[in-house]
């Protein structure tokens, strides 16, 4: 499974961006998907996750109410709509897949099976 994250860029505080994560390759079964981020000098942290059918979503407290995760299984893609961006949101954002479709609720990076390469989001003040 290959995951390709895209959509990062430079945005002013208060602005919006939408990240995309496209899955490709040969895989069987459904997967939950998550977004994590890693700021310079900091550990990777959980941002949001969504179940296979989109019926369940979870968010970190720091982004709740500002970010929205969604997916389009017909396009094998997951999205992260980010609004009200703050300088503290500056980080490399990674998408990940959890083929158990239940571990994602633990919000732990080590429980995800596959990872994308990351896309940089920079929020200027």
């Amino acid at each position: 499974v290959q995951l390709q994250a895209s959509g990062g860029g430079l945005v002013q505080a208060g602005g919006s961006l939408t990240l995309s994560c496209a899955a490709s390759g040969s895989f069987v079964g459904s997967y939950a998907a998550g977004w994590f981020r890693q700021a310079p000098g900091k550990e990777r942290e959980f941002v949001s996750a969504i179940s296979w059918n989109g019926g369940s979503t979870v968010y970190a407290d720091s982004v709740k109410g500002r970010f929205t995760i969604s997916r389009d299984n017909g396009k094998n893609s997951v999205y992260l709509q980010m609004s009200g961006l703050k300088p503290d949101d500056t980080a490399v954002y990674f998408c990940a897949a959890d083929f158990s479709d239940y571990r994602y609720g633990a919000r732990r990076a080590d429980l995800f099976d596959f990872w994308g390469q990351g896309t940089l989001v920079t929020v200027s003040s």
Side-chain angles (χ1 to χ4, degrees):
V1 177
Q2 291 81 44
L3 300 175
Q4 180 74 39
S6 61
L10 174 63
V11 63
Q12 289 188 330
S16 301
L17 276 177
T18 296
L19 306 182
S20 299
C21 177
S24 61
S26 299
F27 54 92
V28 177
S30 59
Y31 63 93
W35 288 96
F36 290 76
R37 66 186 182 187
Q38 187 165 17
K42 295 187 177 181
E43 294 187 351
R44 191 169 298 190
E45 65 172 357
F46 172 81
V47 176
S48 183
I50 187 168
S51 62
W52 162 247
N53 64 4
S56 177
T57 58
V58 291
Y59 295 93
D61 289 344
S62 59
V63 306
K64 199 172 295 182
R66 298 188 297 123
F67 291 9
T68 301
I69 191 170
S70 61
R71 67 188 302 157
D72 183 343
N73 289 339
K75 296 181 178 180
N76 285 331
S77 294
V78 178
Y79 308 97
L80 186 68
Q81 295 175 276
M82 307 183 294
S83 61
L85 284 163
K86 307 174 182 179
D88 284 350
D89 294 319
T90 295
V92 177
Y93 284 70
F94 299 88
C95 59
D98 159 29
F99 274 81
S100 78
D101 200 27
Y102 68 85
R103 293 193 300 260
Y104 70 93
R107 312 180 185 201
R108 286 170 43 185
D110 62 324
L111 297 181
F112 282 76
D113 302 299
F114 296 95
W115 290 82
Q117 85 293 355
T119 185
L120 176 62
V121 173
T122 303
V123 184
S124 62
S125 57

